Amino acid sequence: MTTTLYTSDHEWLAIDGDVATVGITDYAQSQLGDVVFVELPKVGRALKKAEAAAVVESVKAASDVYAPISGEVLETNAELASEPALVNSDAQGKAWFFKMKIADKSELGGLMDEAAYKAHTA
Amino acid sequence: MLARDDQHSLKKTPLHGLHLSLGGKMVPFAGYGMPVQYPAGVLKEHLHTRNSAGLFDVSHMGQIALRPKSGRIEDAARALERLVPQDILAIAPGRQRYAQFTNTDGGILDDLMVANFGDHLFLVVNAACKDADEAHLRANLSDTCIIDSLADRALIALQGPKAEAALAKLCADAPAMKFMDAGPHEVAGLACFVSRSGYTGEDGFEISVPAADAERLAKTLLDNPDVMPIGLGARDSLRLEAGLCLYGHDIDTATTPVEAALEWSVQKSRRSGGARAGGFPGAEKILAHFDNGASRRRVGLRAEGRAPVREGALLFAGSEGGDPIGKVTSGGFGPSLNAPVAMGYVPTAQSALGTKLFAEVRGQRLPLQVAAMPFVKNTYKR
């Protein structure tokens, strides 16, 4: 059973036990436009909450993706390197960015559920 | 996001309402609210322009008529030559030429198009510079010319391989025009100024139309299924692939035309030994750059990887250490090349095609090569 949470910076996290899968929201991709490049963190990197973890680039601009919580990077989505446009076509599915080990579950308390995120982007 | 007051203080072009109705995403640009993209998005708009035809609102640009008080066009041409290093006298009636206003240090105040309309010169200048350009013209040329700001005209660019066919339906003269032909022509019965030129590297036209008729003309052109509206985002990626300079980025008051690799735009008559050598602001420095070379040069840059290298990225000779040798002035992703493209300034010694360089992006040195421009072959109808 996974729970999906959201940040005010438009990242989503699917929580499964002590592992979080992180990506950017469909709203975020619609604002960015056509994604042409994604830079992902190295596996094993210890991310601190709110630090720049990944970069997503459209034709026009580069945007940082922040670590929504603290934890170690376990795996990254290699498909995004060859097909960055997946971020536009399936932001909250196939275009996940990285999986991380949740260092401190209490950090999840500050995140939004789907209803709160919908209100945030309304 | 912009505060409401900022949105309201932005100037609107005559096509503002049309942009909104087409779903344009409006952003501030040079004091105007302009569409950065439409719902199709930058990538599709870019590719559509290269494959079919794109319509651009460039009404924010300045249109200025330079009318000789004597009635003799050569007097206006000679006067303008006091401000630009180009041969203006040699522009034949019905023709247009690319030019730069220079400053006393040899830098570039603005770049512009100058057309000979028979009894006057017609200038198109950058939006951000137009007030300063007009003041510059008034301060320096009022003795011989009437400087007439054509603020009541819109400017529409129609670019791409299907631009000629699209315009031909409304303007019988269009197909016979060649690259850089320019003059008054009727378009859809309206008194327009048409030039066969643009800012995309594609064949195409720029159409100056009375502001009151601009929306009707734009809508008529957009009724053609081959024509799609294109925002500033794709305008930038198109001109970057075409290797064309963006004023304020690739050229500015600190770059001479020689450093900017714009020697082709300065005719021999204005260079050392020419019939009218010098006589423009900064001539001493610019001619010295022609005669002895400049120490740095604008070059095209291609990355080896897929990460875009953007404006401001520092350039290095090696993969680690050393001081920066230059800087990227424009860069991004080229949709037609499906690869990153950039331009920037490097020492002339490192400006040869194929020279390997590195750009620092987010703390990493990415390998680049000096590459020929345009990156995408232009398709001008010569």
Side-chain angles (χ1 to χ4, degrees):
Chain A
M1 181 64 197
T2 62
T3 314
T4 305
L5 298 173
Y6 300 85
T7 72
S8 55
D9 292 323
H10 311 291
E11 289 107 18
W12 57 265
L13 298 82
I15 311 294
D16 187 0
D18 60 355
V19 174
T21 303
V22 179
I24 68 166
T25 65
D26 194 52
Y27 174 85
Q29 73 75 19
S30 73
Q31 294 297 304
L32 286 170
D34 306 292
V35 172
V36 296
F37 179 76
V38 178
E39 186 176 289
L40 296 169
K42 287 205 163 55
V43 171
R45 181 173 155 196
L47 293 171
K48 280 198 207 67
K49 183 183 170 173
E51 78 174 321
V55 177
V56 56
E57 303 214 22
S58 67
V59 178
K60 198 78 184 110
S63 309
D64 284 321
V65 176
Y66 302 99
I69 55 172
S70 305
E72 184 190 330
V73 178
L74 300 172
E75 189 184 346
T76 60
N77 186 354
E79 247 190 296
L80 292 184
S82 53
E83 209 186 335
L86 267 185
V87 178
N88 297 113
S89 58
D90 197 8
Q92 298 189 206
K94 283 185 195 157
W96 59 276
F97 278 35
F98 55 88
K99 295 183 193 225
M100 62 194 297
K101 190 165 168 96
I102 302 169
D104 176 1
K105 285 223 167 188
S106 73
E107 285 181 352
L108 299 177
L111 302 175
M112 287 179 265
D113 63 11
E114 190 175 347
Y117 181 69
K118 272 197 174 144
H120 175 68
T121 53
Chain B
M1 288 303 245
L2 270 180
R4 188 173 298 256
D5 287 352
D6 291 340
Q7 287 277 18
H8 283 187
S9 69
L10 291 173
K11 288 180 275 187
K12 296 180 170 80
T13 75
L15 297 182
H16 188 83
L18 180 63
H19 298 315
L20 297 181
S21 72
L22 292 168
K25 185 173 165 187
M26 306 303 282
V27 299
F29 183 84
Y32 285 81
M34 297 297 290
V36 67
Q37 63 171 78
Y38 298 89
V42 177
L43 204 68
K44 287 197 182 75
E45 291 172 25
H46 177 115
L47 296 173
H48 188 89
T49 305
R50 291 256 184 265
N51 297 328
S52 185
L55 183 144
F56 305 69
D57 179 14
V58 286
S59 304
H60 55 315
M61 297 185 81
Q63 303 179 56
I64 301 168
L66 209 57
R67 305 183 197 279
K69 289 181 176 171
S70 68
R72 292 188 300 268
I73 185 77
E74 55 270 29
D75 290 340
R78 265 196 199 90
L80 186 57
E81 286 194 359
R82 304 204 303 255
L83 301 182
V84 304
Q86 278 70 35
D87 187 334
I88 304 299
L89 268 173
I91 306 174
R95 294 288 294 164
Q96 174 177 273
R97 178 164 275 180
Y98 174 69
Q100 306 94 30
F101 289 122
T102 52
N103 66 18
T104 50
D105 297 328
I108 300 172
L109 291 168
D110 195 9
D111 61 343
L112 68 153
M113 287 291 187
V114 182
N116 179 340
F117 278 6
D119 59 352
H120 69 280
L121 298 175
F122 174 69
L123 278 49
V124 177
V125 302
N126 280 302
C129 303
K130 65 182 178 184
D131 292 342
D133 290 344
E134 200 186 310
H136 186 55
L137 289 166
R138 283 190 201 290
N140 290 285
L141 306 188
S142 287
D143 53 340
T144 47
C145 297
I146 293 163
I147 291 104
D148 195 357
S149 171
L150 307 179
D152 57 346
R153 299 188 77 88
L155 193 63
I156 295 169
L158 187 67
Q159 302 279 296
K162 295 187 179 171
E164 180 189 286
L167 188 58
K169 291 183 205 281
L170 309 176
C171 174
D173 300 341
M177 293 178 75
K178 292 211 175 335
F179 182 59
M180 293 298 232
D181 279 353
H185 293 277
E186 268 197 13
V187 180
L190 303 167
C192 293
F193 309 143
V194 181
S195 75
R196 194 154 197 165
S197 63
Y199 193 48
T200 59
E202 295 296 321
D203 179 29
F205 301 85
E206 289 192 352
I207 307 154
S208 166
V209 55
D213 302 310
E215 182 168 321
R216 184 158 67 87
L217 176 59
K219 279 182 168 167
T220 306
L221 288 164
L222 288 168
D223 281 343
N224 184 327
D226 291 336
V227 181
M228 181 188 259
I230 312 295
L232 291 179
R235 182 168 161 84
D236 190 53
S237 56
L238 287 158
R239 71 89 198 168
L240 179 59
E241 283 185 343
L244 298 168
C245 291
L246 175 60
Y247 188 78
H249 299 258
D250 308 303
I251 48 175
D252 59 28
T253 52
T255 58
T256 72
V258 177
E259 290 171 323
L262 297 172
E263 291 98 329
W264 59 269
S265 72
V266 179
Q267 290 72 34
K268 289 212 167 72
S269 58
R270 307 298 308 279
R271 300 188 197 177
S272 302
R276 293 187 311 289
F280 50 85
E284 201 178 328
K285 181 163 177 186
I286 292 169
L287 294 184
H289 277 184
F290 268 109
D291 297 338
N292 312 317
S295 62
R296 60 176 189 149
R297 185 166 185 81
R298 181 178 63 95
V299 295
L301 299 165
R302 292 287 303 263
E304 286 176 19
R306 283 189 63 85
V309 176
R310 298 188 188 271
E311 181 178 359
L314 295 175
L315 296 168
F316 295 85
S319 60
E320 45 192 271
D323 291 327
I325 59 165
K327 204 176 186 177
V328 170
T329 51
S330 278
F333 191 82
S336 299
L337 294 161
N338 193 28
V341 278
M343 56 175 93
Y345 283 82
V346 296
T348 304
Q350 276 132 309
S351 66
L353 294 185
T355 304
K356 286 190 195 303
L357 301 170
F358 294 85
E360 197 163 271
V361 177
R362 297 183 287 273
Q364 288 181 44
R365 298 255 176 114
L366 305 181
L368 300 173
Q369 274 199 25
V370 175
M373 291 191 287
F375 300 109
V376 171
K377 193 174 161 25
N378 60 46
T379 56
Y380 305 140
K381 192 185 163 188
R382 304 235 182 225

